[in-house]
Amino acid sequence: MATIGDVARAAGVSLSTVSYVISGKRPISQPTRERVERAIRELAFHPHAGAQALASARSNVIALMVPFRPGINVAIIMEFVAGVVTAARTFDHDVLLLTEEDVQEIDRVAARSLADAVIVMDVESEDPRLPSLRALDRPAVLIGVPEDTSGLACVDLDFAAAGRLATRTLIDAGHTHIALIGASRERFARRANYAVRMRDGVVEQAARSGLEVHVLPCDPTYAGGSDVLARLLTDHPDVTGLVVHNEAALAGIVDALDRAGRPVPSGMSVVAINVANIAEGLRRPVDSITVPGHDIGRIAVQMAMARLEQDGPGETRLVAPTLTPHGSVAPPA
């Protein structure tokens, strides 16, 4: 027996669009309506009145999907979670935290009408959850930007712009030998969107100045930062400027520079991309571009609530990066 999801896939539309065609609750363009009606006829789909009534009921719950994978930095994730929870309360909604990354979690939320909207974190560039999210019969918002954003609502820091800003800051100070200490190998292998966009922004800005940049993946630990820094100074001792996009490793990097006789800023200039208050809490504070996790979580909820009231086309909102100086960038010695 055909389901509403089968109709949505056959017509190439979202589940909510099929629902609106059936119920007549919102205007749908004639070509789209005809595609949906043709799919309904071809699949012999018969909507169940009781199921429609159940689907239209509000649960006053937002589902937040946060896959707790090995190596995840819980402190950073909680910045986003706090933003979602705080904003949800202003809309009289509670938050249901889902920690599995299985696509079936999305289907379970939809089938049981557990939530009015879904917010998804830790998005990969080619995330396997995207087809199910596009077919979902309720609003879905991604914290993160995949390669193909068609039909999706996304919000995040503009990591590519942050990478360009950090690199430009070092270049403007006179640095010609630059390195990026980025996310872990596992994060790059999974094509975590934030890691890929950051790397691309750094490489792009360096290329504009005719410079090569060394990209080093780093385990998200203090020891990982120390180890990568030691390897960098051995293999590329001429590097005088660092972009660091790995909050958990940042303290290990700064301390290892001290031990190596290359302290910030006289021996090495550093610009870090991190959540609030990390960069200034180090032994030697570094210039930072803050990832506004709380604000991004709030915006995700606002986007979900807006789409709940009025279904619309996908959109992507990128928060512009800003640099907070702490005196860690100086001309190369």
Side-chain angles (χ1 to χ4, degrees):
M1 181 179 296
T3 67
I4 190 171
D6 297 328
V7 173
R9 282 187 287 273
V13 298
S14 68
L15 285 176
S16 58
T17 298
V18 176
S19 177
Y20 297 146
V21 169
I22 294 170
S23 67
K25 288 170 62 178
R26 293 183 188 170
I28 301 296
S29 70
Q30 188 63 27
T32 300
R33 176 179 293 278
E34 290 174 355
R35 283 207 318 276
V36 173
E37 291 174 342
R38 182 166 59 250
I40 290 173
R41 290 193 301 271
E42 292 175 351
L43 295 171
F45 172 68
H46 298 287
H48 187 277
Q52 289 181 34
L54 181 62
S56 66
R58 294 284 180 90
S59 66
N60 279 56
V61 171
I62 296 172
L64 175 60
M65 300 190 70
V66 187
F68 274 66
R69 302 186 177 106
I72 193 170
N73 191 317
V74 176
I76 294 170
I77 291 297
M78 291 309 296
E79 287 272 339
F80 293 87
V81 173
V84 170
V85 171
T86 302
R89 293 310 308 149
T90 67
F91 290 94
D92 294 321
H93 274 63
D94 293 313
V95 176
L96 172 64
L97 186 62
L98 305 174
T99 59
E100 297 291 332
E101 60 178 315
D102 199 321
V103 172
Q104 292 179 350
E105 283 285 87
I106 299 172
D107 297 333
R108 182 169 69 88
V109 168
R112 299 183 184 179
S113 296
L114 296 176
D116 299 330
V118 178
I119 296 175
V120 181
M121 291 186 60
D122 200 15
V123 177
E124 297 173 7
S125 296
E126 299 175 3
D127 201 294
R129 297 170 293 184
L130 298 186
S132 292
L133 290 169
R134 288 190 174 99
L136 201 60
D137 63 343
R138 61 211 65 208
V141 177
L142 279 61
I143 296 180
V145 184
E147 287 188 2
D148 181 5
T149 61
S150 58
L152 299 171
C154 310
V155 59
D156 208 354
L157 175 70
D158 191 338
F159 279 100
R164 292 192 295 268
L165 174 58
T167 307
R168 189 166 60 250
T169 299
L170 293 171
I171 293 173
D172 288 348
H175 294 274
T176 56
H177 296 86
I178 296 169
L180 165 66
I181 298 180
S184 68
R185 293 186 185 279
E186 186 268 343
R187 296 278 76 201
F188 278 116
R190 293 185 69 107
R191 291 185 59 75
N193 79 95
Y194 63 88
V196 172
R197 289 187 287 135
M198 172 60 62
R199 179 196 63 196
D200 292 350
V202 170
V203 172
E204 176 189 341
Q205 187 64 51
R208 289 179 181 176
S209 299
L211 304 180
E212 180 184 3
V213 60
H214 305 290
V215 179
L216 289 82
C218 179
D219 289 340
T221 63
Y222 181 97
S226 296
D227 293 345
V228 165
L229 194 281
R231 188 166 70 251
L232 171 68
L233 295 182
T234 297
D235 296 343
H236 307 288
D238 54 347
V239 167
T240 58
L242 285 181
V243 178
V244 179
H245 184 211
N246 192 316
E247 293 96 336
L250 183 56
I253 293 167
V254 172
D255 289 351
L257 284 168
D258 271 358
R259 291 193 298 271
R262 298 279 301 271
V264 177
S266 59
M268 183 75 72
S269 289
V270 178
V271 179
I273 293 85
N274 48 254
V275 294
N277 302 322
I278 288 182
E280 55 266 41
L282 301 170
R283 175 186 300 178
R284 297 181 186 273
V286 301
D287 290 19
S288 63
I289 297 171
T290 299
V291 180
H294 197 282
D295 290 344
I296 290 171
R298 172 180 53 79
I299 294 170
V301 171
Q302 293 171 346
M303 292 173 70
M305 292 296 101
R307 289 172 70 84
L308 190 61
E309 296 303 321
Q310 182 175 354
D311 190 33
E315 61 174 323
T316 297
R317 297 188 190 180
L318 294 177
V319 178
T322 57
L323 179 74
T324 301
H326 291 288
S328 67
V329 174

